[in-house]
Amino acid sequence: MQFLDFEKPIAELYEQLEKLKENGDKSGVDVSATVREYEQKIAATRQDLYANLTSWQRVQLSRHPERPYTLAYIERMTTNFVEIHGDRNVKDDKAMVGGFAELDGETIMFIGQQKGVNTKMRQIRNFGMANPEGYRKALRLMKLAEKFNKPIVTLIDTPGAYPGLEAEERGQGEAIARNLFEMIKLKVPVICIIIGEGASGGALGIGMGDRIFMLENSWYTVISPENCSTILWRSWNFKEKAAEELKLTSDYMSQFGLVDGVIAEPLGGAHTNVDEAAAIVKAKIKETLAELKKIDAETRITQRIDKFSGMGFYDER
């Protein structure tokens, strides 16, 4: 198990527990009662620790190396997933994945950013930062779902769209803007779930839906805390302060009305029990789809436009 810096008290208890088990195995002494005491102490410590997480600690959890990514959720929630590749123009962007899958017998188009599970795959997946062809592939899949009247679920987890020169040359801004323009008019139900990092236009490029949800330990804002700190204080050293000031966590986003709800995670984060996390997300998708299907397409589109048009405020003087 990997622990974050603020989880040090839990890590120390786990270390003591492992030593206790090892000594018990070597000596043949029954240590089951002591093991149970340690397990109860770990559970209580975790409960206390996670009751008052700071914004920066939630950002750290959203980036946990063992946190499940898009394909992990699809694998556990669905059957018969058929991944569809390529944007029919440049290439297949490995940072953006998608395809049809069955969720309890219903065919749904799943689309999302995919980070790598190890160093090699992170390079192949470009750390979940999609190029323009990734967003064009996503749009192609959305249009395909609309053609066959299938709902769309997007799973958002990206530190941002890829900012490289070649991405700009191939029209990164236009690709994201085109997705916003087209997603707002889709005739099928669209559910967007932020499962990890939701940064800037990289998240918004597949984030225009009838319902927007966030996992408890995810974040959603225009810029990462580190980059915000660099711009405002010319240093990454103020990233914790930036995270607090950005109000980027799920509870703030829900209060501001920028998302429609927060999906609870297993205690300690989604990575502590991936199967349970996937089951919770699956239940939310099914519940929301049942709700959206009762609304006709034109009404859904109007509500979608009103939802995003009503975000933010301005003052005319």
Side-chain angles (χ1 to χ4, degrees):
M1 297 179 66
Q2 298 188 48
F3 296 94
L4 301 172
D5 54 4
F6 70 87
E7 295 178 304
K8 186 177 179 181
I10 300 174
E12 291 174 348
L13 286 172
Y14 264 109
E15 186 178 347
Q16 294 169 17
L17 177 60
E18 290 303 316
K19 287 181 179 178
L20 175 67
K21 289 179 178 179
E22 186 179 336
N23 291 334
D25 290 339
K26 287 180 178 179
S27 63
V29 177
D30 182 10
V31 294
S32 57
T34 311
V35 166
R36 283 195 296 272
E37 288 179 12
Y38 267 99
E39 289 174 344
Q40 291 170 359
K41 189 180 294 186
I42 288 170
T45 303
R46 178 174 276 139
Q47 186 77 49
D48 292 341
L49 194 63
Y50 280 84
N52 297 292
L53 290 177
T54 66
S55 295
W56 174 245
Q57 287 168 343
R58 291 199 186 276
V59 170
Q60 288 179 287
L61 278 171
S62 76
R63 299 168 173 169
H64 196 287
E66 296 173 349
R67 190 171 177 87
Y69 302 137
T70 293
L71 290 177
Y73 282 101
I74 293 175
E75 176 186 339
R76 286 165 174 80
M77 294 190 301
T78 70
T79 55
N80 299 324
F81 174 59
V82 179
E83 186 174 353
I84 303 173
H85 299 273
D87 70 337
R88 300 280 179 88
N89 188 22
V90 177
K91 65 176 183 178
D92 181 44
D93 188 345
K94 303 297 184 183
M96 187 77 73
V97 298
F100 286 116
E102 289 186 16
L103 189 144
D104 287 351
E106 179 174 12
T107 301
I108 295 174
M109 175 63 79
F110 283 90
I111 301 169
Q113 288 102 352
Q114 175 70 19
K115 298 176 178 177
V117 296
N118 53 46
T119 302
K120 182 178 180 180
M121 289 308 299
R122 289 186 188 108
Q123 291 176 327
I124 293 173
R125 301 285 186 186
N126 201 29
F127 300 88
M129 296 185 292
N131 279 277
E133 46 272 21
Y135 291 98
R136 291 177 178 131
K137 174 169 73 170
L139 180 57
R140 180 170 83 86
L141 300 189
M142 291 176 202
K143 288 301 205 179
L144 187 64
E146 184 180 46
K147 177 180 179 180
F148 293 106
N149 195 30
K150 302 300 181 185
I152 298 167
V153 174
T154 68
L155 302 175
I156 299 166
D157 187 10
T158 180
Y162 183 59
L165 178 61
E166 60 273 27
E168 297 298 332
E169 289 174 340
R170 294 196 298 274
Q172 184 73 285
E174 187 277 335
I176 292 173
R178 174 62 58 181
N179 280 22
L180 306 188
F181 180 75
E182 296 291 347
M183 286 189 78
I184 207 77
K185 303 184 297 178
L186 288 170
K187 295 178 182 178
V188 295
V190 183
I191 300 171
C192 306
I193 304 174
I194 301 156
I195 60 173
E197 299 184 272
S200 193
L204 203 57
I206 58 170
M208 302 282 280
D210 300 295
R211 297 291 183 270
I212 318 294
F213 299 109
M214 292 180 70
L215 287 188
E216 185 180 359
N217 295 310
S218 62
W219 60 272
Y220 188 33
T221 191
V222 69
I223 192 171
S224 71
E226 293 92 337
N227 288 333
C228 178
S229 174
T230 300
I231 291 171
L232 295 182
W233 293 285
R234 301 291 189 268
S235 168
W236 277 29
N237 296 334
F238 297 92
K239 55 185 179 293
E240 293 92 342
K241 180 175 175 58
E244 292 294 338
E245 296 301 326
L246 283 168
K247 312 294 184 190
L248 44 65
T249 52
S250 57
D251 51 347
Y252 284 119
M253 291 294 107
S254 182
Q255 291 172 27
F256 298 153
L258 298 177
V259 299
D260 298 292
V262 178
I263 301 175
E265 296 183 25
L267 182 63
H271 62 282
T272 61
N273 193 330
V274 180
D275 290 337
E276 182 184 350
I280 294 170
V281 172
K282 178 180 178 178
K284 191 66 177 179
I285 292 172
K286 291 178 65 176
E287 173 193 331
T288 307
L289 276 181
E291 171 196 340
L292 292 174
K293 285 178 183 177
K294 297 175 183 177
I295 308 170
D296 66 88
E298 292 305 317
T299 302
R300 277 200 310 269
I301 292 171
T302 300
Q303 290 178 352
R304 207 182 295 155
I305 292 171
D306 291 343
K307 171 204 285 286
F308 286 94
S309 298
M311 290 182 181
F313 61 89
Y314 62 93
D315 183 17
E316 288 187 354
R317 297 182 185 274

